[in-house]
Amino acid sequence: MRVVVQRCKNAEVTVNNQTIGRIEQGLMLLVGITHEDTEHDAKYLADKVAGLRIFEDKTGKMNLSVLETGGAILSVSQFTLYGDCRKGKRPNFMSAARPEQAEPLYQEFNRLLREQGLQVETGAFGEMMDVSLTNWGPVTLMIDSK
């Protein structure tokens, strides 16, 4: 499993010009799932994301997590994170899990984040979405479960 984490001042996802998820301060997550991923990967990443200390404390040091700041999460499924661009000009997405495997794992990841007390908004799995955010810092990290 792979998650791109962006610390944000706000983020929003729309489908057909309708807002389906919106947060203020927190984390914008792009979540990719590959064939070998299991619930263990989802748990590892949910724990990592919830505890990731990338918000500044009173001294200006990145020392606080999204949990500690009362921030929210916007989680969007993103199979293109497993696009392989090494050959040719068109990405190969063979490493991305099929929807019937990926969607339940994506939902489990979000459930695990909520279980930790986080507000989690989501995109619409498998839909064409428009995502916007104000990246704060900017701070962008990529975390893999393997």
Side-chain angles (χ1 to χ4, degrees):
M1 242 175 124
R2 181 173 289 158
V3 178
V4 174
V5 179
Q6 295 178 295
R7 186 178 74 178
C8 64
K9 291 185 178 182
N10 55 64
E12 176 178 272
V13 60
T14 61
V15 175
N16 297 321
N17 295 318
Q18 298 292 317
T19 299
I20 61 169
R22 176 185 296 155
I23 64 166
E24 294 304 318
Q25 176 185 311
L27 299 175
M28 169 68 214
L29 307 180
L30 300 174
V31 182
I33 298 168
T34 192
H35 306 289
E36 299 83 26
D37 291 334
T38 66
E39 288 183 10
H40 177 76
D41 297 283
K43 173 132 181 56
Y44 170 82
L45 284 176
D47 289 344
K48 181 66 81 172
V49 166
L52 198 59
R53 296 175 1 176
I54 60 173
F55 292 90
E56 294 175 356
D57 63 16
K58 291 178 183 177
T59 67
K61 183 176 180 182
M62 281 188 183
N63 203 29
L64 301 174
S65 70
V66 67
L67 279 168
E68 294 167 312
T69 62
I73 289 181
L74 179 58
S75 172
V76 175
S77 63
Q78 185 72 46
F79 78 93
T80 62
L81 292 179
Y82 279 100
D84 184 348
C85 299
R86 292 176 292 179
K87 284 187 170 181
K89 305 278 181 174
R90 182 179 301 140
N92 173 331
F93 298 107
M94 297 301 292
S95 293
R98 302 273 315 146
E100 55 273 9
Q101 177 192 1
E103 186 172 12
L105 205 49
Y106 169 68
Q107 298 300 343
E108 176 65 5
F109 171 73
N110 294 324
R111 185 192 71 74
L112 289 164
L113 289 169
R114 287 183 184 108
E115 193 174 84
Q116 295 193 44
L118 289 161
Q119 173 197 345
V120 179
E121 299 287 319
T122 65
F125 189 92
E127 295 291 328
M128 182 64 76
M129 295 174 274
D130 293 328
V131 179
S132 62
L133 75 145
T134 302
N135 191 319
W136 185 10
V139 174
T140 301
L141 302 166
M142 188 160 54
I143 308 171
D144 286 293
S145 63
K146 304 270 191 251

